[in-house]
Amino acid sequence: MAEELDIGEDKVRVAVVLYSDNATVYFNLKTHRTKKAIIYAVRSLRHKGGKPRNTGAALQFVRDHVFAASSGSRQQEGVPQILFLLTGGKSSDDVSRAAVELKQIGVLSFAIGMKNAKQEELQKIALSPRFLFNLPVFGELLSIQPEIAAFVKLPKRIELFSYSFLVELESPQRDIVFLLDGSEETRSGFPAMKSFVQRVVESLSIGENKDRVSVVQYSRDPQTHFSLNTYTEKEDILNALQELNHKGGRALNTGAALDYVRNNVFVDSSGSRHQEGVPQILILLSGGRSQDDVASAALALKQDRVVPFCVGTRNADILELQMIAHNPSYAFSVLRFDDIGSVYQQLVSFVKRVPRQQPRLKPQNVLGKSIYLSIYLSIYLSIYLSIYLSIYLSILNNLYNSN
């Protein structure tokens, strides 16, 4: 992270605090003024050790002793105050009060959990779902680093980081397409697949101007069960899912299915709002390896700004799923579909963190633009000539009176 940042006394400042039963400042915000010094200090960092893990006390400590002017904080100048909490397990003390107090003073808290971290605890600490990451292993940290670094480098002052801004980032609208493997490999696991989709839908805010959902099932070829503009009520979607039958079929052509949803589902006529910047999200549930190539289809989806998530069983090719997914951390693997509930919380957290896109510009009307420009120039010239003429007449009048 330090490599990515523009470190300097009047630029980005960095502090590092280690904690277990108590917290220790390794260096504060004014200790090091160069990137080289910070990287050297981090490389020299040693594991603290100790039990228990008091995350609540550590949060209170950084609030009182690190995000303070005496430690180099520039909060009073409007400089964004950002906290990255990295934790590997459940806290032994309560985090609620300290988390709230950090938010009250305007600290933007990212909660990054690994291994045995508790989702509910991370939710209390993170400023919003977009600021929460719960990873299965420490090795996954590198997969989220680009997203975090991009956020930190946003050229915005603290007044822009209001709750309304964060809500806008999270997007009140999503277009979500579920692409379900309906081949013979998934026949026994299909009820669990349906239950998983129903559970995700339950977590969404369904509506014509809110979240929209589509379901496509495929094996040799794809079949749309309902489009993004078919249902506007959550109950109708859940009823449709309840009546969904397994498709069947021996071949599994995932590449063709990806092309199908790009050309036939993520389009205006099927209810997609991609032109308005609404997040376009694909959730693929796969029980096996594709018999056709997925690489070009996956790339085309990403070029159209679709964000794919993948969940595969042990019979699926995890490398194939990672190729399809927006990034490797968006590809999940379970032993069988009966175990798919284990990834529900993390997947939903990621889905709700997908930001809005910039609306796509519609082609301009050249004739209308020309007419507008002509009218503008006419008005501008009229005003200019009127002012010029008034000044000229005033000068003549003054000359006449002086004579």
Side-chain angles (χ1 to χ4, degrees):
M1 280 293 293
E3 290 278 11
E4 296 278 342
L5 302 176
D6 189 12
I7 305 292
E9 185 176 3
D10 296 321
K11 297 176 182 177
V12 178
R13 297 182 184 179
V14 174
V16 171
V17 177
L18 298 176
Y19 82 97
S20 52
D21 56 334
N22 55 38
T24 303
V25 177
Y26 190 65
F27 56 86
N28 64 32
L29 293 166
K30 64 180 182 182
T31 305
H32 300 299
R33 300 181 181 181
T34 67
K35 182 181 296 188
K36 184 177 179 180
I38 287 175
I39 291 172
Y40 180 79
V42 170
R43 286 175 178 169
S44 303
L45 198 61
R46 295 290 178 266
H47 187 258
K48 186 178 187 298
K51 290 183 179 182
R53 178 189 292 106
N54 293 327
T55 305
L59 294 174
Q60 193 66 46
F61 179 88
V62 296
R63 179 194 181 280
D64 297 338
H65 301 285
V66 183
F67 289 115
S70 58
S71 295
S73 170
R74 294 164 291 175
Q75 184 180 16
Q76 298 301 323
E77 302 170 35
V79 176
Q81 307 290 287
I82 302 173
L83 172 68
F84 294 103
L85 169 73
L86 279 70
T87 182
K90 185 179 184 297
S91 179
S92 297
D93 62 355
D94 182 56
V95 304
S96 304
R97 180 177 176 181
V100 169
E101 289 183 357
L102 276 169
K103 293 170 186 176
Q104 286 173 342
I105 65 168
V107 174
L108 310 175
S109 298
F110 284 78
I112 304 170
M114 293 152 287
K115 294 182 70 176
N116 301 316
K118 296 299 180 183
Q119 182 77 9
E120 299 79 9
E121 204 166 75
L122 298 177
Q123 287 172 340
K124 291 178 182 178
I125 298 167
L127 187 58
S128 80
R130 181 169 168 74
F131 291 66
L132 187 156
F133 299 84
N134 200 354
L135 309 174
V137 292
F138 288 99
E140 291 282 340
L141 278 171
L142 290 178
S143 69
I144 64 171
Q145 186 260 340
E147 183 179 347
I148 292 175
F151 179 89
V152 174
K153 291 189 286 187
L154 282 173
K156 299 186 184 294
R157 301 294 286 176
I158 191 67
E159 59 266 22
L160 292 181
F161 290 107
S162 63
Y163 281 100
S164 59
F165 174 71
L166 293 171
V167 169
E168 182 181 343
L169 268 182
E170 289 165 23
S171 182
Q173 302 167 314
R174 302 170 193 85
D175 291 338
I176 301 175
V177 177
F178 291 92
L179 181 58
L180 309 182
D181 176 354
S183 68
E184 289 303 319
E185 286 284 345
T186 63
R187 185 173 293 278
S188 62
F190 197 67
M193 293 169 71
K194 282 173 52 175
S195 296
F196 179 79
V197 176
Q198 288 172 321
R199 192 176 172 192
V200 174
V201 170
E202 287 280 13
S203 74
L204 302 175
S205 180
I206 302 295
E208 186 175 0
N209 296 313
K210 297 179 181 177
D211 295 329
R212 297 182 183 179
V213 170
S214 170
V215 171
V216 177
Q217 193 179 171
Y218 78 101
S219 51
R220 180 183 297 278
D221 48 26
Q223 174 189 354
T224 300
H225 288 287
F226 54 87
S227 299
L228 292 165
N229 55 5
T230 304
Y231 301 117
T232 58
E233 298 292 334
K234 183 181 292 187
E235 186 178 354
D236 292 335
I237 293 175
L238 293 174
N239 288 338
L241 288 168
Q242 194 64 39
E243 296 173 6
L244 195 63
N245 294 317
H246 188 255
K247 185 178 186 300
R250 289 291 174 189
L252 186 66
N253 294 326
T254 305
L258 294 174
D259 277 331
Y260 176 85
V261 294
R262 181 173 68 88
N263 296 320
N264 298 280
V265 186
F266 288 113
V267 293
D268 297 347
S269 58
S270 294
S272 169
R273 295 164 290 177
H274 62 112
Q275 299 283 3
E276 303 167 34
V278 173
Q280 305 293 286
I281 298 168
L282 174 70
I283 300 177
L284 167 67
L285 305 185
S286 174
R289 185 175 184 176
S290 179
Q291 294 183 14
D292 64 353
D293 179 59
V294 303
S296 59
L299 179 61
L301 270 173
K302 294 169 189 175
Q303 288 174 339
D304 279 0
R305 300 195 292 189
V306 174
V307 179
F309 293 84
C310 302
V311 182
T313 63
R314 62 182 175 183
N315 294 326
D317 184 341
I318 186 61
L319 295 179
E320 183 176 88
L321 297 181
Q322 289 177 341
M323 182 188 297
I324 297 168
H326 180 67
N327 67 52
S329 67
Y330 285 11
F332 301 87
S333 182
V334 294
L335 190 62
R336 55 186 184 275
F337 281 118
D338 288 339
D339 303 320
I340 200 170
S342 63
V343 302
Y344 162 80
Q345 197 75 256
Q346 190 174 356
L347 184 139
V348 169
S349 173
F350 280 164
V351 165
K352 291 188 175 182
R353 205 163 49 233
V354 176
R356 288 186 67 86
Q357 300 282 349
Q358 286 293 326
R360 302 186 187 188
L361 297 177
K362 295 181 179 179
Q364 296 291 326
N365 185 319
V366 177
L367 178 60
K369 195 173 181 181
S370 300
I371 293 171
Y372 176 82
L373 183 61
S374 298
I375 293 171
Y376 175 82
L377 287 173
S378 298
I379 295 171
Y380 176 81
L381 288 172
S382 297
I383 295 171
Y384 178 81
L385 289 172
S386 297
I387 295 170
Y388 179 81
L389 185 59
S390 298
I391 295 171
Y392 179 72
L393 291 173
S394 176
I395 293 170
L396 285 179
N397 187 51
N398 289 337
L399 287 172
Y400 178 79
N401 290 334
S402 64
N403 291 329

